[in-house]
Amino acid sequence: MTLPEIAKLGHVALVTPDLEKSLWFFKDVIGLEVTEEKNGTYYLRAWGDFEHHSLSLTAGEKGYVDHIGWRTKRPEDVEGFAQLLEKAGTEVNWIEAGEEAGQGRAIRFKLPSQHSFEIYYDVEKPKADEKRRSVLKNQTYKAWARGCSPRRFDHVNIATSMDVGEILEYLGRQLGFKLREYVRYNEKTTVAGWMSVTPLVHDIAVISRPQAETPNQLHHISYWHDSAQDILRAADILAEAGIKFIGPGKHGVSQAFYLYVCDPGSGCRVELFSGSYLIFEPDWEPVEWTEEDHSIANTYWGETVSDKELNKPTIEA
Amino acid sequence: MTLPEIAKLGHVALVTPDLEKSLWFFKDVIGLEVTEEKNGTYYLRAWGDFEHHSLSLTAGEKGYVDHIGWRTKRPEDVEGFAQLLEKAGTEVNWIEAGEEAGQGRAIRFKLPSQHSFEIYYDVEKPKADEKRRSVLKNQTYKAWARGCSPRRFDHVNIATSMDVGEILEYLGRQLGFKLREYVRYNEKTTVAGWMSVTPLVHDIAVISRPQAETPNQLHHISYWHDSAQDILRAADILAEAGIKFIGPGKHGVSQAFYLYVCDPGSGCRVELFSGSYLIFEPDWEPVEWTEEDHSIANTYWGETVSDKELNKPTIEA
Amino acid sequence: MTLPEIAKLGHVALVTPDLEKSLWFFKDVIGLEVTEEKNGTYYLRAWGDFEHHSLSLTAGEKGYVDHIGWRTKRPEDVEGFAQLLEKAGTEVNWIEAGEEAGQGRAIRFKLPSQHSFEIYYDVEKPKADEKRRSVLKNQTYKAWARGCSPRRFDHVNIATSMDVGEILEYLGRQLGFKLREYVRYNEKTTVAGWMSVTPLVHDIAVISRPQAETPNQLHHISYWHDSAQDILRAADILAEAGIKFIGPGKHGVSQAFYLYVCDPGSGCRVELFSGSYLIFEPDWEPVEWTEEDHSIANTYWGETVSDKELNKPTIEA
Amino acid sequence: MTLPEIAKLGHVALVTPDLEKSLWFFKDVIGLEVTEEKNGTYYLRAWGDFEHHSLSLTAGEKGYVDHIGWRTKRPEDVEGFAQLLEKAGTEVNWIEAGEEAGQGRAIRFKLPSQHSFEIYYDVEKPKADEKRRSVLKNQTYKAWARGCSPRRFDHVNIATSMDVGEILEYLGRQLGFKLREYVRYNEKTTVAGWMSVTPLVHDIAVISRPQAETPNQLHHISYWHDSAQDILRAADILAEAGIKFIGPGKHGVSQAFYLYVCDPGSGCRVELFSGSYLIFEPDWEPVEWTEEDHSIANTYWGETVSDKELNKPTIEA
C-alpha cells in the first residue's frame, strides 16, 4: 500500500469569545473574505486561497483553536491515515461531510501534545461572486479590497510544554513532515523545529514553552503577502486601527520578513509575513541553529519577538 | 517498483560564441556567483541556489543550450528514468560522474522536439568562500554583491515548431510534470503550456513557434527575485549597462512580474521575475486561457512581450 | 515692493460630462477623499493633502479643466499678481471668497496659450472626520482606505499647439517658475519643458501638441505615491477595475516611475507616480535633452508613452 | 537689503580616529562615491548628490563633526550672513576658497550650543567619471554600484545639553529655518524640534540630551533612499557586514521610515531613511507633539530608538 500523504495545510478552526471583534479583525483589518456563514460559524479565506476556507470563526466561551486542518494528496489518504493512526494507538474520530461547511468526510485526532488535527481530502473550491472575482482565471478574488490583504494562508506554529523533539519526531513519523530547520541547545534539547510537506520552509513549526499550563498551545497562525512592502503597508493599517504589533523584522530561521499581531477578539496571534525561501532539494539537510546563534536565528534584524513574548500565554490549540 | 520522479529543475548548460561577454552579463550584470571553472566551462549560481551550479557557460561556435538538467527525488530514479525512457524507445546516454563539474552520474536524452534533457541525482552543494558566505546558515552567499542579484534559478521556457500539446503530453507521461495553465485556441490547438513537479506554476513551459527552423528552440531561462522592487532595481541596472530589455510587466498566466533581457554573448533570453503564486492543491484543475483571453493571459498589465517578440528566433535548446 | 511669489500648486477644477463615473473613478478607484459637496461640485483631496481640496468635479457638457489653482507665499501676493498681470496687459478676474468652497478671494486669468489659472492664498485646511483621521498629527487621513490611495497632488502637465518656449518664458517671467529640464530639437525648438517654484522637478510641464485644435490642452494631472510598489499595486487595482492604462515605466526626465490612466468620465488623463528627485541647488542648470536623446528622456525603461499617445487629443485646460 | 537665505544643507565634515574603517563604512557599506582625496581628506557623495561632496572624512584623534556646511541661495548671501552674525555678536571666521576641496570662500561660526556651522555658495559640481556616469543627464552616477546606495544627503540631527527651544529660536531668527514639528512637555519644555528651509520636514533637527558633557553633540546625519524596500535591502547588507543597527521602524514625527547605524570608525550615527512627506504650505502650523503622544511621535511602529539610545553619548558636532 502506498503510504498516505499530506499535501498541504488547509485551515484553522478558531473559537472566539468575541465573534464580532474577531470578524472585524480578520475581515476588515486583515482583509479576509467571508465565503459562507453556517450555523453561526463564519468561513473565511484570503484573496488568493483556493479552498472553501482557510479560517473559521465560531463563538465560544474562550479563545482557542478547535483544530488545524490538513488536506491529503489523494482521496484514499484520509482512510489511510485513519488506519495508520489507529494502528499506532491514536484515537480517531470521523467528521461527516458537511459538518464543516464546504468539506467532505474527515478525521480528527490529537497529537501527543494534545493539539487537535483534522485530515480531509474533499473540499469545495467556490468561485468568488462575480463582482469580487478577479479578471485573472488563476486568482480567486480581486486583491486589495480591504485591510492588509494577504494573498494566502501559509503556516501554523504550535507551542508546547512537552519535549519539542518528541513532537517533531511524531510529525515526521506519523504524518510525513520533513524537518527543515531547528534550534538545539547543547546538542540535545530541541527548542524549536520547522517542518513541511511542501517546499515551504514550514507548514508547521513547534516551539518550546515549558511553563505553559497545558501542552497544547498555539504560537501563531500565518498569512502570506507577496511583498515586503505589503507588510509595511499592513503596519500602517494596524497602527491606524489602534492595534499593537511586533515587528517588522526578519527571522534568520526561514528568512521570513514578519509582523506579529493578535486578534483582539480571540487572542490568536497572527503573523503577517513575506519573503522566506523554498526548499526543492530532496536531500535537504535540516539547518541546525545552536544556543550560540539562537539570537540571529530568531532575529536577523528588526524588532525581536523576544523569549518573553514567545513564552507569553496565548491560546490553546 | 516506485515510479522515478523529478524533484526540481537543476541547471542549464549554455554554449556561447562570446564567453567573455556572457560572463560579464551573467556575473557582473545579473550578479551570479562563479562556483568553479573547469576545462574552460564556468559554473555559476545565484546567491540563494544550493546546488553546485544553476548555469554553465562554455565557449562554442554559436549560442545554444546544450542541455537542461533535472534533479531526481531519489538516487535510484536516474536508473529508473533510464529504463523507462529506453523502454519507450528513447535513446539514453550516460554521462559519467565528474564530466560535469560537481555532478554525479547522469543520463541525457532528447524530447520528441529534440530538446536535450539531463537527469541526475548526485550533486555537490559547496559552501561559499568564507568571505562571501552569508551569516545565515540557510543561505549560500551574502545577497546584493553585484548587479541584479536574483535569489535563485526558477524555470525554463522552451519553444518548438512541433505541436505543443504533444510535447506537454510527453512531459506529463514520461517525466511526471503536471499541467498548471495552458492557452488553447478553438478548443483544440494548444499554443502554450506551463508545467511543474513542484508547487511553482512552472518548472518548464512550452510555447509554440511555428516558423522556427528547428523544433528545439529556447524561449528563455528565468531567475527569481524576492520582490517586485528588485525587478525595478534590475531595470535601472540594465538600462545603465546599456542593455535593452522588455518589461516590466505582469503576466496573467502565472501572475509573474517580469522583465526580459538577452545575454549579449549567447543570445540566451533571461527572464528576471518575482511574484507569481504557488499551487499546493493536489487536484489542481489546469487553468485554460482561450484565444479570447490570450491577451490578458500574456499581459495583465505593463509592457507586452509581443507575439513578434515571442516568435523572434532565439537560440536552440 | 517684494515680488509676489507662488508657493505651490493647489488644485485642478475639472468639469465632466459624466459626474457619477468621474466620482467613481477618483473616489473609489484612485481613492481620493471627498471633503465637501457644494452647489453640485464635489471637492476631493488625497489622504496626505492638507488644503481643502486638490481636485473639484463639476458636471458639464464636456470634459475640460476649468482652471488650475496656485497658492501664493503671502496673503498680499494675490493682489501683487493681479497688479503685475494687469500691468502686462493680461485680463484679471476676481473670484470672491467662498465661490470656490473652502477658498478665499482669488484671481483668474489666462496664459497666452489660453490655459486658465487661478491664484489664491486663503484656503481652509479642514481636518478629517474623527473616524477617518490619522493617528499621526502630521497626516490628514488614515492612508489605504480605498483604491490606489496616492499621498498627495503633485503636478499638472499642459499641452499646447503654440510655441512651447514662449509659454515657458511666460511662466518664468510672470509667475516665477524656474526651468528644470527641457527637450529641444536642433538647438532651437523646445518640444517640452518642466518648471517649478518648489524643489520638485515640476509643478507644471508644458508639452508641444502641434495638431491640437485649440492651444489650451491638458496633458495630464498627477498624484504622488510614496513607493514604486504602490504604483504596481495601483496597476493591479486598475486592471481589476477594467480600466486600461499605460505603464509602468520610468521617464528619463524627472526620473518619475509612472502609470497613465484616463478618468472614464471626463477624459482627464491622470499620472500616478513615485520616485523622481528633488532640486535644492539654487543655481540649477536646466537639463537639456536633445532630439538624439529624446527617447531616453521620455522612457528610461518600461512601457513608453508614445508620441502618438502624447498627441492624442485629450481635454482642454 | 534682501535678507540672506540658506538654500540647503550641503555637507558634514567628519573627523575619524580610524580613517580606513570609516572609508570602508561610508564607501563600501553605505556605498558613497569618492569625488576627491586632497591633503588626506576624502570627499564623498551619494550617487544622486550634485555638489562636490556631502561628506568629508579626515583622520584625527577622536571622532567628531568639524562643521556642518550650508549653501546659500545667492552668492552675496555669504557676506550677508557674515554681517548679520557679526552684528549679533557672533564670531565669524572666513575660510578661503579651495581650503575645502571643491568649495569657494565660506564662513564658519558657532551656534550658542557650540555646534560649528559653515556657510558657502560657490561649489563645484563635478560630473562622474564617464564609466560611472549615469546615462541619465539629471543623475550624477549610476545607482547601485556598491552597498546600501542611498540617493542623496538629507539632513543632520544635533543634540545638546542646552535648552532646545533656545537653539530652535536661534536657528529661526539668525538663519531662517522654519519650525515644522516639535515635542513639548507640559507646554513649556521643548524636547526636540525639526526645522527646514526647504519643503523637507527637516534639514536640521535639535534634540535634548541633558546629561551630555558638552552642549555640542551630534545625534545623527542622514542619507535618503528612494524606497522603503531599499532600507530593507540595506538591513540585509548591514547584517551581513556584521554591523549592528536599530530599526527598521517608522517615526510619527516626519513619517520617516528609518534604520540607524553607527560608523565603526568615527562613532558617527547615520540614519538611512525613506518616505516622509513634503511641506509646501507657506503658512505651515508647526505640529506639536506632547509628552502624552511622545511615544507615537518617536515610533509609529517598528523598533524604537529609545530614550536610552537617544541619550547615549555619540560624538561632538
Side-chain angles (χ1 to χ4, degrees):
Chain A
M1 191 192 81
T2 311
L3 280 176
E5 289 179 82
I6 288 175
K8 55 161 294 200
L9 173 62
H11 60 265
V12 158
L14 186 60
V15 178
T16 173
D18 191 337
L19 181 58
E20 196 179 352
K21 192 170 275 181
S22 289
L23 269 171
W24 167 76
F25 176 74
F26 282 109
K27 220 181 83 176
D28 293 338
V29 180
I30 299 300
L32 302 185
E33 305 280 344
V34 175
T35 318
E36 191 175 346
E37 189 261 303
K38 189 178 165 183
N39 303 330
T41 296
Y42 286 80
Y43 295 90
L44 302 99
R45 58 180 174 174
W47 55 263
D49 279 331
F50 297 107
E51 293 188 27
H52 181 271
H53 59 281
S54 54
L55 181 73
S56 67
L57 294 174
T58 307
E61 286 196 13
K62 61 167 191 170
Y64 67 94
V65 171
D66 181 73
H67 64 268
I68 299 167
W70 303 90
R71 191 169 188 218
T72 62
K73 274 210 175 162
R74 291 163 293 259
E76 62 269 27
D77 287 346
V78 181
E79 178 65 36
F81 273 118
Q83 288 177 20
L84 277 187
L85 288 161
E86 284 176 337
K87 201 188 297 179
T90 304
E91 187 187 334
V92 170
N93 292 303
W94 284 90
I95 304 296
E96 291 313 305
E99 199 165 315
E100 197 166 335
Q103 186 178 295
R105 216 170 165 233
I107 57 169
R108 292 213 189 131
F109 64 98
K110 287 187 188 298
L111 301 194
S113 53
Q114 301 306 304
H115 290 89
S116 182
F117 273 25
E118 178 180 82
I119 288 180
Y120 66 94
Y121 176 81
D122 290 314
V123 68
E124 290 171 22
K125 294 184 213 151
K127 290 198 169 185
D129 291 339
E130 206 167 325
K131 210 184 145 179
R132 288 284 307 118
R133 196 180 298 168
S134 173
V135 301
L136 295 175
K137 285 178 163 180
N138 51 18
Q139 184 174 309
T140 311
Y141 297 86
K142 295 175 195 302
W144 309 119
R146 280 182 321 279
C148 303
S149 204
R151 174 187 279 272
R152 60 171 175 76
F153 191 40
D154 190 83
H155 67 263
V156 291
N157 187 323
I158 59 177
T160 187
S161 56
M162 284 183 61
D163 178 62
V164 164
E166 187 182 323
I167 308 302
L168 297 175
E169 193 273 337
Y170 178 90
L171 290 170
R173 178 170 34 85
Q174 289 292 331
L175 301 171
F177 286 97
K178 284 165 275 182
L179 187 62
R180 305 308 201 168
E181 307 199 26
Y182 61 99
V183 181
R184 181 173 293 168
Y185 282 12
N186 303 318
E187 296 182 10
K188 61 176 187 219
T189 311
T190 303
V191 176
W194 289 260
M195 303 187 93
S196 65
V197 289
T198 68
L200 299 178
V201 175
H202 58 322
D203 302 315
I204 186 166
V206 186
I207 286 191
S208 177
R209 188 181 288 164
Q211 282 85 22
E213 288 185 13
T214 65
N216 52 316
Q217 299 279 310
L218 178 76
H219 193 275
H220 66 261
I221 65 172
S222 177
Y223 277 89
W224 201 80
H225 291 259
D226 279 358
S227 131
Q229 187 74 36
D230 301 342
I231 302 296
L232 304 184
R233 180 178 167 273
D236 284 350
I237 289 170
L238 292 168
E240 290 292 343
I243 301 174
K244 299 254 179 239
F245 57 92
I246 292 175
K250 189 169 173 177
H251 291 308
V253 168
S254 89
Q255 301 174 25
F257 183 63
Y258 62 81
L259 175 161
Y260 289 93
V261 58
C262 275
D263 164 25
S266 68
C268 174
R269 195 191 281 127
V270 178
E271 181 190 27
L272 299 180
F273 101 108
S274 186
S276 195
Y277 68 102
L278 298 172
I279 298 172
F280 296 117
E281 304 304 332
D283 55 350
W284 181 256
E285 191 67 35
V287 177
E288 177 176 325
W289 304 82
T290 64
E291 188 162 10
E292 195 178 33
D293 44 34
H294 195 178
S295 165
I296 192 174
N298 192 17
T299 312
Y300 185 40
W301 47 256
E303 194 175 31
T304 297
V305 185
S306 65
D307 284 349
K308 195 183 139 203
E309 177 64 28
L310 281 175
N311 290 311
K312 209 170 72 176
T314 47
I315 59 174
E316 294 192 351
Chain B
M1 191 192 80
T2 311
L3 279 177
E5 289 180 83
I6 289 173
K8 54 160 296 202
L9 174 63
H11 60 264
V12 158
L14 186 60
V15 178
T16 172
D18 190 337
L19 181 57
E20 196 178 352
K21 192 169 278 181
S22 288
L23 268 172
W24 167 76
F25 176 74
F26 282 108
K27 220 182 84 179
D28 293 339
V29 181
I30 300 300
L32 302 185
E33 304 281 343
V34 175
T35 318
E36 189 175 350
E37 190 262 304
K38 189 178 167 184
N39 302 330
T41 295
Y42 286 80
Y43 295 89
L44 303 99
R45 58 178 173 175
W47 55 263
D49 279 332
F50 297 105
E51 293 190 27
H52 180 271
H53 60 279
S54 55
L55 180 73
S56 68
L57 293 173
T58 307
E61 287 195 12
K62 60 167 190 171
Y64 67 94
V65 171
D66 181 72
H67 64 267
I68 298 166
W70 303 90
R71 190 167 190 219
T72 61
K73 276 211 174 162
R74 293 162 290 257
E76 61 269 26
D77 288 344
V78 181
E79 178 64 38
F81 272 119
Q83 288 177 19
L84 276 188
L85 288 161
E86 283 175 336
K87 198 188 298 182
T90 304
E91 189 187 329
V92 169
N93 293 301
W94 284 90
I95 304 297
E96 291 312 307
E99 197 163 318
E100 197 165 335
Q103 187 179 294
R105 212 166 169 238
I107 57 169
R108 291 211 189 133
F109 64 97
K110 286 184 187 302
L111 301 194
S113 54
Q114 301 306 303
H115 290 88
S116 183
F117 272 25
E118 178 179 81
I119 287 180
Y120 66 95
Y121 176 82
D122 289 316
V123 68
E124 291 171 20
K125 293 184 217 152
K127 289 198 168 184
D129 291 339
E130 207 167 324
K131 210 184 144 179
R132 289 284 305 117
R133 196 179 300 167
S134 174
V135 301
L136 295 175
K137 286 178 163 180
N138 52 18
Q139 185 173 309
T140 311
Y141 297 87
K142 295 176 195 301
W144 309 120
R146 281 182 321 280
C148 303
S149 204
R151 174 187 278 272
R152 61 172 174 76
F153 192 39
D154 189 85
H155 67 263
V156 291
N157 186 323
I158 59 177
T160 188
S161 55
M162 282 183 61
D163 179 62
V164 164
E166 190 182 322
I167 308 304
L168 298 176
E169 193 275 338
Y170 179 90
L171 290 169
R173 179 170 33 86
Q174 288 293 329
L175 301 171
F177 286 97
K178 283 165 276 181
L179 187 62
R180 304 310 201 165
E181 304 199 28
Y182 61 98
V183 181
R184 181 173 291 167
Y185 282 10
N186 304 317
E187 296 183 9
K188 61 178 188 217
T189 312
T190 303
V191 175
W194 289 260
M195 301 187 94
S196 65
V197 289
T198 69
L200 299 178
V201 175
H202 57 321
D203 302 315
I204 186 166
V206 186
I207 285 192
S208 177
R209 189 182 286 165
Q211 281 85 22
E213 289 185 13
T214 65
N216 53 315
Q217 301 278 310
L218 178 76
H219 193 274
H220 66 262
I221 65 173
S222 176
Y223 277 89
W224 200 81
H225 291 259
D226 279 358
S227 129
Q229 187 74 36
D230 302 342
I231 303 295
L232 304 183
R233 181 177 166 273
D236 283 352
I237 290 170
L238 293 168
E240 290 292 343
I243 301 174
K244 299 254 180 239
F245 58 91
I246 292 174
K250 188 169 175 177
H251 291 309
V253 168
S254 89
Q255 302 174 26
F257 184 63
Y258 62 82
L259 174 162
Y260 288 95
V261 57
C262 275
D263 163 25
S266 68
C268 174
R269 194 190 283 126
V270 178
E271 182 189 27
L272 300 179
F273 100 108
S274 186
S276 195
Y277 67 101
L278 297 172
I279 298 173
F280 296 116
E281 303 304 331
D283 55 351
W284 181 256
E285 192 65 36
V287 177
E288 177 176 326
W289 304 82
T290 63
E291 188 162 11
E292 195 177 33
D293 45 33
H294 194 176
S295 165
I296 192 174
N298 192 18
T299 313
Y300 185 40
W301 47 257
E303 194 173 32
T304 297
V305 185
S306 64
D307 284 349
K308 195 182 141 202
E309 179 63 28
L310 281 175
N311 290 311
K312 210 170 72 174
T314 47
I315 60 174
E316 292 191 353
Chain C
M1 189 194 80
T2 311
L3 279 176
E5 289 180 83
I6 289 173
K8 55 161 293 199
L9 173 63
H11 60 265
V12 159
L14 185 61
V15 178
T16 172
D18 190 337
L19 181 58
E20 195 179 352
K21 192 170 276 180
S22 290
L23 269 171
W24 168 76
F25 177 73
F26 282 108
K27 219 181 85 178
D28 294 337
V29 180
I30 300 300
L32 302 184
E33 305 280 345
V34 175
T35 318
E36 189 174 350
E37 191 261 303
K38 188 178 167 184
N39 303 330
T41 295
Y42 287 80
Y43 295 89
L44 302 99
R45 58 180 173 173
W47 56 262
D49 279 332
F50 297 105
E51 293 189 27
H52 180 270
H53 60 280
S54 54
L55 180 74
S56 68
L57 294 173
T58 308
E61 286 196 12
K62 60 167 190 171
Y64 66 94
V65 170
D66 182 73
H67 65 268
I68 299 167
W70 303 90
R71 190 167 189 217
T72 62
K73 275 211 174 162
R74 292 161 291 258
E76 61 269 28
D77 288 345
V78 181
E79 178 65 38
F81 274 118
Q83 288 176 22
L84 276 188
L85 287 161
E86 283 176 336
K87 199 188 297 180
T90 304
E91 187 187 331
V92 170
N93 292 302
W94 284 90
I95 305 296
E96 290 313 306
E99 196 164 318
E100 195 166 337
Q103 186 178 295
R105 211 168 169 237
I107 58 168
R108 292 212 190 132
F109 64 98
K110 287 185 187 301
L111 301 193
S113 54
Q114 302 306 303
H115 289 89
S116 182
F117 273 25
E118 177 179 85
I119 287 179
Y120 66 95
Y121 176 81
D122 290 314
V123 67
E124 291 171 21
K125 294 184 216 153
K127 289 198 170 186
D129 290 339
E130 206 167 325
K131 209 184 145 180
R132 290 283 306 117
R133 197 180 298 168
S134 173
V135 300
L136 295 175
K137 285 178 163 178
N138 52 18
Q139 184 174 309
T140 311
Y141 297 87
K142 296 175 194 301
W144 309 118
R146 282 182 320 280
C148 303
S149 203
R151 174 186 279 272
R152 61 172 173 75
F153 192 39
D154 190 84
H155 67 263
V156 291
N157 186 322
I158 59 177
T160 187
S161 55
M162 283 184 61
D163 179 62
V164 164
E166 189 182 320
I167 307 304
L168 297 175
E169 193 275 336
Y170 178 90
L171 291 170
R173 177 171 34 85
Q174 289 292 330
L175 301 171
F177 286 96
K178 284 164 275 182
L179 187 62
R180 304 309 199 165
E181 306 200 27
Y182 61 98
V183 182
R184 181 173 292 166
Y185 282 11
N186 304 318
E187 296 182 10
K188 62 176 186 217
T189 312
T190 302
V191 175
W194 288 260
M195 302 187 93
S196 64
V197 288
T198 68
L200 299 179
V201 176
H202 57 321
D203 301 315
I204 186 166
V206 186
I207 285 192
S208 176
R209 187 181 287 165
Q211 283 86 22
E213 287 185 14
T214 65
N216 53 315
Q217 301 278 311
L218 178 76
H219 193 275
H220 66 261
I221 65 173
S222 177
Y223 277 88
W224 201 80
H225 291 259
D226 279 358
S227 131
Q229 188 74 36
D230 301 342
I231 303 296
L232 304 183
R233 182 178 165 272
D236 283 351
I237 290 170
L238 293 168
E240 291 292 343
I243 301 174
K244 299 252 179 242
F245 57 90
I246 291 174
K250 188 169 173 177
H251 291 309
V253 169
S254 88
Q255 303 175 25
F257 184 63
Y258 62 80
L259 175 162
Y260 289 94
V261 58
C262 274
D263 163 24
S266 68
C268 174
R269 194 190 282 126
V270 178
E271 182 189 28
L272 300 180
F273 100 108
S274 186
S276 195
Y277 68 101
L278 298 172
I279 298 172
F280 296 116
E281 304 302 332
D283 55 351
W284 181 256
E285 191 66 35
V287 177
E288 176 176 325
W289 304 82
T290 64
E291 188 163 11
E292 195 178 33
D293 45 31
H294 194 177
S295 165
I296 193 173
N298 192 17
T299 313
Y300 185 39
W301 46 256
E303 194 173 33
T304 297
V305 184
S306 65
D307 285 349
K308 195 181 139 203
E309 178 64 28
L310 282 175
N311 290 311
K312 210 170 72 176
T314 46
I315 60 174
E316 292 192 352
Chain D
M1 191 192 79
T2 310
L3 279 176
E5 289 179 83
I6 289 174
K8 54 162 294 199
L9 173 62
H11 60 264
V12 159
L14 186 61
V15 178
T16 172
D18 190 337
L19 181 57
E20 196 179 350
K21 192 170 275 181
S22 289
L23 268 171
W24 167 76
F25 176 75
F26 282 109
K27 219 181 86 179
D28 294 337
V29 180
I30 299 300
L32 302 184
E33 305 280 345
V34 175
T35 318
E36 191 175 348
E37 189 261 303
K38 189 178 167 182
N39 302 331
T41 295
Y42 287 80
Y43 295 88
L44 302 99
R45 58 178 172 174
W47 56 262
D49 278 332
F50 297 106
E51 292 188 28
H52 180 272
H53 60 279
S54 54
L55 181 74
S56 67
L57 294 173
T58 307
E61 287 195 12
K62 60 167 191 169
Y64 66 95
V65 171
D66 181 73
H67 65 268
I68 298 167
W70 302 90
R71 190 166 189 221
T72 61
K73 276 212 173 159
R74 293 162 291 258
E76 62 270 27
D77 288 344
V78 181
E79 179 65 36
F81 273 117
Q83 288 177 20
L84 276 189
L85 288 161
E86 283 175 337
K87 199 187 300 180
T90 305
E91 188 187 332
V92 170
N93 292 302
W94 285 89
I95 304 297
E96 290 313 306
E99 195 162 319
E100 194 166 338
Q103 186 180 294
R105 210 166 172 239
I107 58 169
R108 292 213 189 131
F109 63 99
K110 288 185 187 301
L111 301 195
S113 53
Q114 300 307 305
H115 290 89
S116 182
F117 273 24
E118 177 180 84
I119 287 180
Y120 65 95
Y121 177 81
D122 290 315
V123 68
E124 291 171 22
K125 295 184 215 151
K127 289 198 170 185
D129 292 340
E130 205 166 326
K131 209 183 145 180
R132 289 285 306 117
R133 196 179 299 167
S134 172
V135 301
L136 295 176
K137 286 178 162 179
N138 51 18
Q139 185 174 308
T140 310
Y141 297 87
K142 295 175 194 303
W144 309 120
R146 281 182 321 280
C148 303
S149 205
R151 173 186 280 271
R152 59 172 176 75
F153 192 40
D154 190 84
H155 67 264
V156 291
N157 186 323
I158 59 177
T160 188
S161 56
M162 284 183 61
D163 179 60
V164 165
E166 188 182 321
I167 308 304
L168 297 176
E169 193 274 338
Y170 178 90
L171 291 170
R173 179 171 34 86
Q174 288 292 331
L175 301 170
F177 287 96
K178 284 164 276 183
L179 187 60
R180 305 309 201 165
E181 306 198 26
Y182 62 98
V183 181
R184 181 172 292 168
Y185 281 11
N186 304 318
E187 295 183 10
K188 61 176 187 218
T189 313
T190 302
V191 175
W194 289 259
M195 302 187 93
S196 64
V197 288
T198 68
L200 299 179
V201 175
H202 56 322
D203 302 315
I204 186 166
V206 186
I207 285 192
S208 176
R209 187 182 288 166
Q211 282 85 21
E213 288 185 15
T214 65
N216 52 316
Q217 301 279 310
L218 178 75
H219 193 275
H220 66 262
I221 65 172
S222 177
Y223 278 88
W224 200 82
H225 291 259
D226 280 356
S227 130
Q229 187 74 37
D230 301 343
I231 302 296
L232 303 184
R233 181 178 166 273
D236 283 351
I237 290 170
L238 293 168
E240 290 292 343
I243 302 174
K244 299 252 180 242
F245 57 91
I246 291 174
K250 189 169 174 177
H251 291 309
V253 169
S254 89
Q255 302 174 24
F257 184 63
Y258 62 81
L259 175 161
Y260 289 93
V261 57
C262 274
D263 164 25
S266 67
C268 174
R269 192 189 284 127
V270 179
E271 181 189 28
L272 299 180
F273 100 109
S274 186
S276 195
Y277 68 101
L278 297 172
I279 298 172
F280 297 116
E281 303 303 333
D283 54 351
W284 181 257
E285 190 66 35
V287 177
E288 177 177 326
W289 304 81
T290 64
E291 188 162 11
E292 194 177 36
D293 45 33
H294 195 178
S295 166
I296 193 173
N298 192 17
T299 313
Y300 185 39
W301 47 256
E303 194 174 31
T304 296
V305 185
S306 64
D307 283 349
K308 195 182 139 202
E309 178 64 28
L310 281 174
N311 290 312
K312 210 170 72 175
T314 47
I315 60 175
E316 293 192 351

